[in-house]
Structures are given as C-alpha cells and as structure tokens.
Amino acid sequence: MSMSSITGLGGSQHYLLRDLANVEKTSSLSQSGPITPDQRQNGQANGRQLSSEASKVSLSVDALFSISKVNQANNVIPSKYEQFFPAREGYSVANLASAIENPAAQPFSQNRPFLEVAQAVRANLDIKYERMAENGQPFEKNTFEGIDKNSLFGELDRRALHAVASNEGGVFTDLEQRTAKSLMVQQQGLAMGRYSGPSRLADSYDKAVPPGMQDHAKIEKASILFLDKVSPEEKSSITWAHARAVSQSHYEMEMNDRGQIGEDFTSDNPLVRLLMEAFDNWSSRPGLTSIGNVENEDDLRKQPWFVGFEDRLDDVLARTRELYNVS
C-alpha cells in the first residue's frame, strides 16, 4: 500500500503501520507520466502516482500517520455547524465545521510545515476521489447542496483549506482552489452571523448562532475575531489582509455613525495597516466597493481606493511575510 493511501484512509487503521516497517520513509517522484486535472477531479488516477507527483519534501511515516488521524471523527466533539455542510454517508465534515468556532485548530495540519500539509491534503483528496469512484458515484462538482464538495474537503482544517486555496506546492487544480476558497468564505460568513448553506436549514442557523448577530457592529467584530485566529500562512495573504481591513473599516464606520467609541482592533499586520490608510484616504469613503476579487498584487493595484499606495506595496508585503515567517 502506498504512503498516500495511509494518509487518506485515516488513523483508525493502525495495522497499516506494520506494512510500512520496511518501507523507505521518503517520497519519490513517479516515473510514469503526469496526472491530468480531469483524472484528479474524477478520481480515476492511481493514488500512489498522485502523491508522488505532489511530493517535493520528505515525510516520515510517523508524520503521515499523525496527519491521517483526521478520520477519527469519534474523537471530535460535534459542532453545531456540521448540519450546514451536508455530505455523503460515511464522510466526515467535522473539521470543516469546527473551524467556524475555532479556525486556529489544526486537527489535520498538526502544526506541520506548510508544504507537508499540502502534500497530505493532496493525498487525502485523491483517496476521496478514488473512494467515490469505486462506490460507483464519481465526484461531481455541482451536486445538490454541495454534498460532494463537503464530502471531499470535510476533513480539512482551516489551514489545510488555505493550502489548497493558495495552491501550495502547485499541486491543486483550479476547481479545487476555487472550492477551497468558497468554503473558507462560507466559514467566515457563518462565523460572522451571515447564513450561507442549504436554504432549507436557514431557520436552524438562526437558532444556532449567538443572539444579537443582526447588529452590524457585532457582525464585523465577529469577522475580525475570526480572522485574527487563522494561520500565519493565511494572514500573510492579500486575500486575508483585504478581508480583515474591510471588516475593521466597516466596524469603525458603524460605531462612528452611532456616535460611539468602538473597540481598538488595530492590526499588527503591515498590509492591513496600509489598506486601512488607503481606505481612510479614499475620497469616496464610505464607498469601498472593490473591482472584482482582491486576491493578489495585481488585483490590489487596480483598485481605485489604492491609487497612490502602489509604490509601498512591495516593501509592506515583504515585512508582512517576515512577521509571519512565511517565504
């Protein structure tokens, strides 16, 4: 059995360790041809090839097996948010849902180096594709209520989702990146008090969220508190900095409109500080509408409210990555 299979099958199958007793504890590149995105997405490719193609670093058996423990759903306290991520029978969404309440938790990532997390995610997803295909129901990207995407990504914690969204290691398809991003947005929305999920469960969400979430200031505060708990890798991204700055700006404007002094949510993140400065200098404030998504440097440079701040961006990005020790 391949190392990728160990990663994907889960920590409950302890007997698998015996099969690895004499196996070399490093990953090597496959000698076969590359695996196409279609093969990945449809679960038709061999798990060993996919893991080998993705592997650029050495992972010990202990590391792989430790990360694989995410499948031990019985050890996870059920989250009230699991109901909003319907999945196939037998597929856990525990980590996907629990991240709404604690995005800092790393039941999958296990504080491993980010590239190792990406490799483990790659193997985990490939095993899910294979499992779905072997059961006669290959993965479908547009299933009702997102059942297949929830089933595929359900074991990933927030940091692991970001590994996919940011295409760490260059081993994730465009569809996988988009799906991870949409799930991360859904998590943030649910944490803020803005429902996102199956329409039939909207009333259940009203009962699940903390009272008073219809208050816009509380919504933005909840967003800030959620975003401040995510991984260093995510905090070093432009997507995160933009979302964090927007929430802070909206919170401050709401409190100002009330004639009240709000809490100080000034961020240590250099990029957030730069964006806040740009917002404050935008002549059309409070109209902070952005052109498209803000996910990279090019997106940021074309925003009308960022005009005049472009020359400072490179230095600020470097300082932000240095702050979080992210290359």
Side-chain angles (χ1 to χ4, degrees):
M1 180 172 287
S2 69
M3 288 187 180
S4 62
S5 297
I6 297 296
T7 306
L9 289 175
S12 61
Q13 302 189 32
H14 293 279
Y15 70 89
L16 291 174
L17 281 179
R18 296 198 299 267
D19 296 335
L20 290 171
N22 297 314
V23 176
E24 184 179 30
K25 296 184 178 182
T26 58
S27 301
S28 61
L29 292 177
S30 171
Q31 298 302 312
S32 59
I35 306 302
T36 68
D38 285 343
Q39 286 176 312
R40 277 206 184 101
Q41 292 166 11
N42 294 323
Q44 301 299 319
N46 179 271
R48 181 190 296 273
Q49 289 175 298
L50 287 164
S51 180
S52 296
E53 181 197 19
S55 301
K56 302 294 184 183
V57 296
S58 295
L59 286 177
S60 69
V61 172
D62 288 341
L64 286 169
F65 192 70
S66 178
I67 294 176
S68 76
K69 290 182 180 179
V70 294
N71 273 339
Q72 298 183 72
N74 291 335
N75 294 333
V76 179
I77 298 175
S79 167
K80 62 189 177 185
Y81 293 102
E82 287 188 32
Q83 61 184 310
F84 306 122
F85 296 93
R88 293 189 186 192
E89 184 177 358
Y91 286 76
S92 172
V93 294
N95 293 341
L96 191 63
S98 63
I100 296 167
E101 296 173 287
N102 185 13
Q106 295 190 31
F108 185 97
S109 300
Q110 297 286 316
N111 297 304
R112 304 282 178 185
F114 203 43
L115 189 58
E116 291 185 9
V117 174
Q119 183 194 19
V121 173
R122 176 71 270 157
N124 184 277
L125 297 181
D126 293 337
I127 291 298
K128 295 283 186 60
Y129 287 133
E130 290 182 13
R131 179 181 170 191
M132 291 177 179
E134 288 171 357
N135 289 337
Q137 294 180 306
F139 172 80
E140 293 288 344
K141 63 180 180 180
N142 293 319
T143 49
F144 179 65
E145 295 186 342
I147 287 177
D148 274 12
K149 72 174 184 180
N150 297 333
S151 303
L152 183 66
F153 287 85
E155 293 178 345
L156 305 187
D157 55 39
R158 178 81 180 188
R159 185 171 177 239
L161 275 179
H162 179 62
V164 181
S166 61
N167 197 21
E168 176 67 15
V171 297
F172 300 104
T173 66
D174 288 342
L175 175 59
E176 289 166 344
Q177 294 171 55
R178 292 196 304 271
T179 302
K181 290 174 184 177
S182 70
L183 288 169
M184 293 172 74
V185 170
Q186 184 179 4
Q187 287 175 334
Q188 182 184 349
L190 290 169
M192 292 171 66
R194 290 175 174 166
Y195 182 66
S196 177
S199 57
R200 63 182 173 83
L201 297 174
D203 290 341
S204 298
Y205 174 75
D206 291 339
K207 299 173 183 177
V209 299
M213 281 306 224
Q214 70 279 2
D215 184 314
H216 292 296
K218 288 185 178 180
I219 288 174
E220 298 302 342
K221 176 181 176 178
S223 175
I224 292 169
L225 295 178
F226 174 84
L227 291 170
D228 280 351
K229 293 178 182 177
V230 304
S231 67
E233 291 87 2
E234 186 175 348
K235 287 180 179 178
S236 70
S237 70
I238 289 176
T239 300
W240 180 89
H242 179 253
R244 176 60 169 77
V246 167
S247 288
Q248 181 181 336
S249 180
H250 286 172
Y251 172 81
E252 292 177 355
M253 286 189 289
E254 178 68 23
M255 297 304 292
N256 184 65
D257 289 344
R258 298 179 185 182
Q260 299 176 4
I261 299 176
E263 297 179 55
D264 184 3
F265 288 118
T266 301
S267 175
D268 293 333
N269 184 295
L271 184 54
V272 173
R273 287 175 174 268
L274 180 65
L275 295 182
M276 288 298 297
E277 186 178 345
F279 290 167
D280 288 339
N281 283 275
W282 175 235
S283 60
S284 298
R285 192 183 186 197
L288 291 175
T289 302
S290 296
I291 300 174
N293 295 328
V294 182
E295 299 181 350
N296 54 51
E297 294 181 45
D298 290 339
D299 292 340
L300 191 52
R301 292 180 188 277
K302 70 183 181 183
Q303 302 305 321
W305 45 261
F306 197 66
V307 173
F309 293 84
E310 303 94 332
D311 292 345
R312 297 167 57 185
L313 182 58
D314 289 343
D315 176 66
V316 168
L317 285 174
R319 288 193 286 115
T320 300
R321 291 169 184 139
E322 182 179 2
L323 174 65
Y324 298 112
N325 194 28
V326 174
S327 60

